[in-house]
Amino acid sequence: MGAVSISDVRKSYGNVEVLHGVSIDIEDGEFVILVGPSGCGKSTLLRMIAGLEDVTSGKISIGGRVVNELAPKDRDIAMVFQSYALYPHMTVEQNMGFSLMLQRASKEDVRKRVAAAAAILGLQPYLARYPRHLSGGQRQRVAMGRAIVRNPAAFLFDEPLSNLDAKLRVQMRSEIKQNHQRLKTTTVYVTHDQIEAMTMADRIVVMHDGVIEQIGTPLELYDSPANLFVAGFIGSPGMNMLDGTIADGNFVAAGGVTIPLPTHHSTYIGKRMTLGIRPEHFRLDVNGAVAEIITVEPTGSETHIVARFANQEIVGAFRERITASPGEEIRISPEGDAIHLFDGETGKRIAR
Amino acid sequence: MMENTTPRKALQMVVIAAVALMFLLPLYWLTISSLRPEEDIFRYLNPFGLWTVVPNRITFDNIVNLWSGAFSRAIVNSLVVSFVTVIVGLAVCAPAAFALAVISFPGRGIIFSAMIVSFLIPFDAIAVPLYSIMRGLNLQDTYVGLILPGVGNGLAVFLLRQFFQSIPKDLREAAMVDGMGWFQIFWRIYLPLSKPALISAGLIMFIFQWQAYLWPLLIAPSNDMKVAAVALAQFSTAYNVSFGLIFAGAMFLSLIPMLIFVCFQQYFTGSVAATGSKE
């Protein structure tokens, strides 16, 4: 019922095209997150699904119905805004029940459904309050409550957590995910925070400059990024990228550091390549290459080491508690089967 | 508090008090003159002394005479004209301002510019051509003739438009997703959030009509339709100037808008429009 299908959607403002043909198929009940740096077109796309922006070309359908020409109110969607956009002159209860009232639901029905949503979100004590008397997190919940009471075909979230402090953000993240598991309503969620995307999504759509770079489950994106952009965007600390060439089954990075490759890539011999290594895939190895420590950042659970390796700054994350001072040298090597190879020209992934 | 008073602050206070006094002086003069017997009004001006500023004889004759004459009818006319102008004017100006602030349509910029120009043109400049239009419509000596020119107030539209533009866009987008059309967004979201601006715009329109002189003089010269400002002016004729009545009339003419101001003063505090959003 709540499947959302986007096919070859484009958006132009005047002569400037900001979305260059985007296609995504979202299944009923799926939680899909659009993620990307600011200006990538993710919010524009969400607003087009909501009907707040015109579609220049292409087709958007919700629940099997093409909605391109429908007003937002006729699309059977609910949206949570970054600024929450609660009506300041209405109480929490009125805010949540307002759309139902507009649909001419009976007073009893409105009260029941608002109470049910308030119970899910823990908002019962606040129903008579005005938004100005609520904290940021409570306002966020009211905004979600307003969406939930409508029982729409799809929820749209536009960076809903970016105004909350770090601790609350983690808490709300898990609440949103729990609510999705309970309600199983199709959800399209926009964020620029890749950790939010990784932790909450069934599938992630990585966008950049108005195109989709990759669509996949969080771990697919993490383990097999399709290109350098996705590789660099997903994961924190980010993937280390080393430039170099392939020779004799080895990757030769700047400064002559050679890294053995698990498979032989004869077609790429002599070509410019980029090797990607996630920080946790470095290990301490007495036979490894030399890395000169720049800083040591203990996080408790692991130690992050920023070091100079193959003439480049890299970050390694180690389970060991390393006590070393800046300027000291350690020897490290990448875990052979966990490296990523990208074409130096196109940035596209090459099988390991 | 006193220990915080520096000489600089004290001087500021004195200056502020002096300015306030200067503003109050004409009102005070108006009040005591209306309470004096007519022959006393100018009697103590020279030499300046205690009796210049303190009335030594008090009478309510001026006020009684004022209200027993045609002036009471004129005050009622002024009140009817001003209040109806505010109500009809807001009903016209607020939707216009909403459309100009929120809905994008071709020609919006041109219409808005024309509106700005309209309130830069002095009313006196258009009074005579407007009069011939109104006469053509047979609106002489009618309330409609008096009220109509005050209804479409460019300044009120401008003020409301600016206020509406300051209401966050997310709010109307949330309302659209919630199922509201333009009129409902205007009626249920924008109007309730715009009380201070509506009151300011209403007061502008009220004052425009309350102080109007030239237009009522042209369009409604009959005794029944005369407004207070015109009636007041007619206390001074070619042969006789009734200063007692003039001062008493002027006092009431000033008092009524002042009372209205005081009633709505509390609403002049800022807007609450943003409180539903992030801090």
Side-chain angles (χ1 to χ4, degrees):
Chain A
M1 280 143 34
V4 176
S5 164
I6 296 158
S7 60
D8 197 26
V9 163
R10 289 166 190 275
K11 175 74 185 176
S12 307
Y13 294 104
N15 292 326
V16 185
E17 195 176 74
V18 294
L19 279 181
H20 314 293
V22 167
S23 302
I24 311 168
D25 277 306
I26 299 166
E27 283 169 36
D28 183 25
E30 203 177 7
F31 195 133
V32 167
I33 292 189
L34 311 179
V35 68
S38 49
C40 71
K42 58 193 190 298
S43 278
T44 306
L45 182 59
L46 189 80
R47 290 168 57 80
M48 286 161 89
I49 300 172
L52 298 171
E53 299 272 356
D54 292 331
V55 178
T56 307
S57 76
K59 213 171 68 183
I60 296 178
S61 57
I62 299 170
R65 191 167 57 127
V66 177
V67 295
N68 282 32
E69 300 300 324
L70 293 184
K73 66 187 168 88
D74 300 321
R75 295 191 177 200
D76 197 15
I77 44 131
M79 185 153 169
V80 176
F81 291 80
Q82 181 176 357
S83 68
Y84 321 137
L86 302 179
Y87 309 126
H89 56 303
M90 296 183 198
T91 62
V92 168
E93 186 167 17
Q94 289 166 334
N95 261 289
M96 286 169 68
F98 197 61
S99 61
L100 297 178
M101 199 204 80
L102 289 170
Q103 291 167 13
R104 301 183 186 286
S106 73
K107 267 190 182 158
E108 184 55 24
D109 191 27
V110 174
R111 203 193 53 75
K112 243 190 253 166
R113 283 164 74 177
V114 168
I120 291 174
L121 296 162
L123 282 171
Q124 293 107 319
Y126 309 111
L127 284 177
R129 291 206 198 165
Y130 285 93
R132 60 178 173 278
H133 297 133
L134 300 178
S135 69
Q138 290 163 340
R139 288 178 199 185
Q140 176 60 58
R141 279 198 201 97
V142 177
M144 281 197 287
R146 192 162 68 173
I148 288 172
V149 289
R150 297 182 52 191
N151 191 22
F155 288 137
L156 308 177
F157 288 84
D158 190 5
E159 308 219 11
L161 304 183
S162 46
N163 286 328
L164 302 178
D165 63 51
K167 195 173 167 199
L168 203 52
R169 198 147 51 203
V170 174
Q171 187 193 334
M172 291 308 291
R173 214 155 73 186
S174 122
E175 274 189 36
I176 292 177
K177 192 165 182 176
Q178 283 174 34
N179 286 331
H180 177 257
Q181 284 160 358
R182 179 161 22 185
L183 301 165
K184 296 194 171 52
T185 306
T186 313
T187 302
V188 186
Y189 184 112
V190 163
T191 179
H192 61 265
D193 180 348
Q194 57 91 19
I195 294 186
E196 248 172 60
M198 292 294 285
T199 51
M200 293 165 76
D202 291 329
R203 276 195 304 159
I204 297 175
V205 178
V206 181
M207 293 180 70
H208 182 220
D209 284 347
V211 296
I212 292 177
E213 296 283 356
Q214 190 173 3
I215 303 179
T217 64
L219 291 180
E220 272 167 19
L221 297 193
Y222 192 82
D223 293 339
S224 324
N227 52 47
L228 280 173
F229 178 79
V230 178
F233 193 78
I234 300 289
S236 172
M239 188 187 279
N240 299 293
M241 311 282 188
L242 302 176
D243 291 330
T245 49
I246 292 182
D248 289 343
N250 288 323
F251 180 86
V252 185
V257 174
T258 57
I259 295 161
L261 296 173
T263 38
H264 209 67
H265 294 283
S266 50
T267 48
Y268 292 97
I269 288 174
K271 273 196 169 182
R272 206 157 64 74
M273 307 293 282
T274 301
L275 181 91
I277 310 159
R278 295 228 176 259
E280 68 273 25
H281 294 145
F282 278 114
R283 56 192 157 82
L284 299 172
D285 178 1
V286 284
N287 301 318
V290 169
E292 185 193 331
I293 292 176
I294 299 171
T295 58
V296 178
E297 300 166 354
T299 66
S301 60
E302 46 187 34
T303 310
H304 294 172
I305 289 195
V306 181
R308 226 173 159 70
F309 180 79
N311 281 352
Q312 210 178 309
E313 214 169 274
I314 55 117
V315 181
F318 301 91
R319 303 299 299 184
E320 298 91 340
R321 296 210 161 170
I322 300 170
T323 44
S325 337
E328 277 181 44
E329 285 182 350
I330 51 171
R331 286 183 172 269
I332 55 173
S333 64
E335 285 171 27
D337 53 355
I339 59 161
H340 307 263
L341 259 187
F342 300 95
D343 187 312
E345 312 266 312
T346 62
K348 290 225 162 60
R349 174 188 189 77
I350 297 162
R352 273 173 191 141
Chain B
M1 291 306 249
M2 284 310 284
E3 63 265 33
N4 293 333
T5 311
T6 60
R8 191 191 155 81
K9 260 192 181 162
L11 187 70
Q12 274 177 353
M13 286 309 211
V14 169
V15 172
I16 289 167
V19 171
L21 207 65
M22 262 159 61
F23 275 91
L24 285 175
L25 215 59
L27 283 173
Y28 175 72
W29 180 250
L30 209 59
T31 312
I32 60 166
S33 300
S34 65
L35 295 172
R36 275 177 162 162
E38 195 161 326
E39 62 271 23
D40 279 9
I41 294 176
F42 300 111
R43 184 192 260 174
Y44 302 104
L45 279 185
N46 196 15
F48 188 90
L50 176 67
W51 303 124
T52 316
V53 288
V54 179
N56 50 354
R57 288 196 294 168
I58 296 264
T59 169
F60 292 99
D61 286 355
N62 292 327
I63 292 165
V64 172
N65 289 341
L66 178 78
W67 286 103
S68 56
F71 190 76
S72 47
R73 167 79 202 213
I75 282 275
V76 171
N77 285 342
S78 272
L79 285 172
V80 169
V81 169
S82 301
F83 277 111
V84 175
T85 300
V86 169
I87 291 160
V88 180
L90 286 179
V92 170
C93 293
F98 178 76
L100 287 170
V102 169
I103 305 171
S104 50
F105 54 89
R108 179 165 84 159
I110 295 167
I111 292 173
F112 183 62
S113 311
M115 202 89 81
I116 301 273
V117 171
S118 83
F119 69 77
L120 297 177
I121 299 173
F123 185 79
D124 298 4
I126 61 163
V128 172
L130 193 63
Y131 174 70
S132 46
I133 294 172
M134 292 293 199
R135 198 178 51 184
L137 295 169
N138 268 332
L139 292 174
Q140 288 155 294
D141 282 323
T142 60
Y143 280 130
V144 177
L146 281 165
I147 290 164
L148 220 46
V151 162
N153 190 314
L155 186 58
V157 174
F158 175 75
L159 195 94
L160 288 167
R161 172 190 176 266
Q162 299 308 100
F163 193 88
F164 289 159
Q165 277 192 331
S166 73
I167 293 178
K169 184 171 154 224
D170 280 359
L171 227 47
R172 69 170 179 268
E173 291 185 338
M176 285 166 85
V177 173
D178 259 357
M180 279 183 255
W182 283 124
F183 180 75
Q184 280 179 318
I185 292 174
F186 167 67
W187 188 254
R188 295 178 180 276
I189 308 294
Y190 275 66
L191 281 193
L193 292 176
S194 304
K195 269 183 211 148
L198 289 169
I199 286 165
S200 304
L203 281 171
I204 288 172
M205 290 192 257
F206 185 89
I207 295 300
F208 175 85
Q209 285 292 25
W210 191 257
Q211 60 158 30
Y213 178 73
L214 179 64
W215 180 249
L217 188 67
L218 288 172
I219 197 75
S222 83
N223 275 333
D224 274 356
M225 295 308 295
K226 227 175 261 173
V227 298
V230 174
L232 183 71
Q234 288 175 355
F235 287 134
S236 105
T237 64
Y239 308 106
N240 178 34
V241 181
S242 326
F243 278 110
L245 291 178
I246 289 180
F247 275 112
M251 188 186 71
F252 282 103
L253 221 54
S254 320
L255 204 63
I256 289 168
M258 264 161 51
L259 281 176
I260 290 168
F261 258 94
V262 169
C263 289
F264 287 107
Q265 204 175 24
Q266 53 167 317
Y267 294 101
F268 288 123
T269 51
S271 109
V272 291
T275 50
S277 305
K278 62 186 173 186
E279 321 234 73

